[in-house]
Amino acid sequence: MITRRDAVKKTALTVAAASVALPATLSAQAPAAAAGPFKLPALPYAFDALEPHLDAKTMEIHHDRHHQTYVTNLNKALAGQGALAEKSIEEIVRHLEDIPGNLRLAVRNNGGGHYNHTLFWQMMKNGGGGEPKGGLARAIDRRFGNFAGFKEEFTGAALKTFGSGWAWLVKDQNELSVVSTPNQDNPLTQGQKVLLGLDVWEHAYYLKYQNKRADYVNAFFNIINWDFVAERFESKD
Ligand code: MN
């Protein structure tokens, strides 16, 4: 049985609790990283999992700082944009034309950065490398002659990308091709589905490889997660 006195006490406690939680000035001071709909996904392996091809320090800075910054700035760009902020990052990158003009460049750069890196971490694994199997291997052979032909074209795209950007293996209308994009652009904006990508921004390799981008590209072939790439090749979306 609840007495009136208990009820009053309970109400007073509820009000007290609410008033503690309420001040907007406090919540506005929360760290930027925690605010907004987009979150930094955990790296799917330890920082040192890709050693010696990619060193632990590079992976830590690349994931915890660079990728985090894209997420933070994407959240800032979409703050107060209700419906837009509820879309998936893939839908945002696919339909950049739907982003209001004053926000589009920030979303293109930071949304692209978030999407590209989220995929990139999954495109590598400890003990990866080798060659793909099954339907993906047959598609690569049809398009590039053989795996060596693919590796040569992909490496060429990575080396020819001037400044910061990405090299990609994409699927477009069931045809494979190798393309590159500047900055954090993703071929999805042009309707192409990325299967494999390599970050050729200097932040991705400079600590270990300095100016030797070719060595970094060659090392990448030892850690490619072909199972992940094949899953993307086989999926219908
Ligand atoms: Mn990067």
Side-chain angles (χ1 to χ4, degrees), residues 62 117 166 184 199 203:
H62 199 174
H117 288 84
W166 292 73
Q184 293 297 352
D199 187 346
H203 70 222

